[in-house]
Each structure stands twice: as C-alpha cells, then as structure tokens.
Amino acid sequence: MARERIASVGLLTRRDLEVLGAGFNRHFPVVDDAIFDDLLAQLDKVEAEPLGKGVVLRADGSPKRG
C-alpha cells in the first residue's frame, strides 16, 4: 500500500472540527502548553491581500507593491 503524502497542515479550533464533521477524522490534538505561542504571534501578523486569481501573504511591515 502506497503511503499518503501530507496535503496540508492547519491549526483548527474545536469548533472548526465540529464544522468539518465526523468525516474529518485524521487530526492530531496539541496540548495547550504555550509551545506554539511564538509561532501563533507571528502568524497573527500575516496579512492576506488579493493578487490576480490568488492571494499574497505579507508579514507585518513588509512593503506593498503599488
């Protein structure tokens, strides 16, 4: 049997899992021990803006194209 490749990684709340439903059963809980506080603080600074048919993610304070 071929191994499945990871398609995405996400940080979901309990409510997110409820919305996804019982069919979404391959999640791995992370204990709330503040290990990801620095990562989450950096992710909170990211801004998304439209770019053609996609989006571009910009870190807080990065220059925007005119």
Side-chain angles (χ1 to χ4, degrees), residues 11-18:
L11 301 173
L12 305 173
T13 65
R14 196 170 282 136
R15 174 72 180 126
D16 294 332
L17 291 174
E18 290 171 6

Side-chain angles (χ1 to χ4, degrees), residues 3 11 14-15 30 33 38 45:
R3 291 184 57 165
L11 301 173
R14 196 170 282 136
R15 174 72 180 126
V30 176
D33 65 0
D38 292 338
K45 295 178 184 178

Side-chain angles (χ1 to χ4, degrees), residues 3-57:
R3 291 184 57 165
E4 293 184 41
R5 297 174 84 67
I6 295 174
S8 66
V9 174
L11 301 173
L12 305 173
T13 65
R14 196 170 282 136
R15 174 72 180 126
D16 294 332
L17 291 174
E18 290 171 6
V19 170
L20 289 169
F24 189 83
N25 57 12
R26 293 183 65 183
H27 64 277
F28 304 94
V30 176
V31 177
D32 188 6
D33 65 0
I35 194 170
F36 292 105
D37 284 355
D38 292 338
L39 172 62
L40 293 173
Q42 292 301 313
L43 290 173
D44 283 342
K45 295 178 184 178
V46 174
E47 294 183 29
E49 63 182 61
L51 179 67
K53 292 185 178 184
V55 299
V56 63
L57 301 177

